[in-house]
Amino acid sequence: FFASRICTSCYLHCQSSYRPTMPTSKSEYIVTASQSYISRSANILVAPNLHSKGKSVIQKNVTIHGEFGAAIHIGRYVYIDEDVEIVPSVIPTSSDPLLTTSSSSGSGGVGSKIIPQPPTENEKALPIIIGSHTKIGNNCTIHSIAIGSCVRIGSNCSIYPRSKIHDCCIIENDSVIPPDMVIPPFSRVRGNPARIVGSLPECSGGEFVEDCVQEYTRFVRELGE
């Protein structure tokens, strides 16, 4: 009972900082064969590079940069809220400092805006993996190479290139994850630059799974499906 109460507390705290956008009309969405709902106002660049396992929601004004040439994998029951930008990390193919590289590799200071630029001939883009039962709040910029399953990312977060977030983590609102930072499982993170401020109990993953399934079911029901 005590462990369950801790999980519920963590879950409610996360919910208080994350309020997903609810649908207003089915006509606003494209429904894929795998039962994902993609807003017609979303900008999916080079759509064949986006691979979704289904039953996910991508809201309006989301931009996914498939034109970088790297695959972007999204698990099941993933929710991506409005005004999110997903950009593959770009790395040099050579250590030669004289070769031209783009400005999207995350060499600027933490908090500075990274302007997305496709890789040059001397660079390559890295695939992005977003695990199942994960939610990304509105107005986030995602350059991470991997976001695990059962992750909650609040609003207005910046996830810098080559960073990695493991399973069952909460990234609180307005957090800035520096380049190359690796966040271990069951971590609570906040700040600019972000730091680990707490941990989640192992049972929290089950509640996050249940929450995402219920959220998707509610979303589809409100569209009148």
Side-chain angles (χ1 to χ4, degrees), residues 17-92:
S17 62
Y18 178 84
R19 301 185 182 280
T21 303
M22 285 292 102
T24 56
S25 171
K26 182 180 177 181
S27 64
E28 296 178 3
Y29 296 90
I30 298 169
V31 185
T32 70
S34 59
Q35 296 180 296
S36 286
Y37 288 77
I38 302 175
S39 170
R40 295 184 184 274
S41 299
N43 192 16
I44 313 298
L45 303 174
V46 188
N49 284 333
L50 175 62
H51 306 276
S52 173
K53 291 186 177 180
K55 294 192 174 182
S56 293
V57 177
I58 298 176
Q59 286 288 10
K60 66 181 182 180
N61 300 327
V62 170
T63 300
I64 298 179
H65 288 274
E67 84 277 17
F68 281 39
I72 299 170
H73 300 274
I74 296 177
R76 288 171 65 83
Y77 295 106
V78 172
Y79 188 96
I80 302 176
D81 212 341
E82 298 177 1
D83 302 303
V84 169
E85 189 169 23
I86 298 178
V87 188
S89 295
V90 173
I91 61 171

Side-chain angles (χ1 to χ4, degrees), residues 7-17 207:
C7 287
T8 303
S9 175
C10 292
Y11 165 72
L12 291 176
H13 180 91
C14 179
Q15 286 296 93
S16 68
S17 62
E207 293 205 13

Side-chain angles (χ1 to χ4, degrees), residues 86-100:
I86 298 178
V87 188
S89 295
V90 173
I91 61 171
T93 55
S94 170
S95 58
D96 187 344
L98 298 179
L99 295 178
T100 302

Side-chain angles (χ1 to χ4, degrees), residues 106-188:
S107 57
V110 175
S112 62
K113 176 68 174 179
I114 298 178
I115 300 174
Q117 293 185 11
T120 68
E121 62 180 5
N122 304 315
E123 297 175 313
K124 66 177 180 180
L126 300 176
I128 298 177
I129 299 175
I130 299 175
S132 298
H133 308 104
T134 285
K135 291 183 179 181
I136 300 175
N138 65 290
N139 198 36
C140 290
T141 303
I142 308 294
H143 292 265
S144 178
I145 58 173
I147 297 173
S149 297
C150 300
V151 171
R152 298 295 182 268
I153 298 177
S155 300
N156 307 309
C157 291
S158 295
I159 316 296
Y160 271 69
R162 304 175 305 277
S163 58
K164 185 174 183 179
I165 303 171
H166 283 274
D167 295 344
C168 298
C169 290
I170 293 177
I171 312 300
E172 297 190 10
N173 292 346
D174 305 304
S175 295
V176 177
I177 309 297
D180 302 303
M181 183 175 184
V182 178
I183 299 174
F186 302 102
S187 296
R188 182 185 293 278

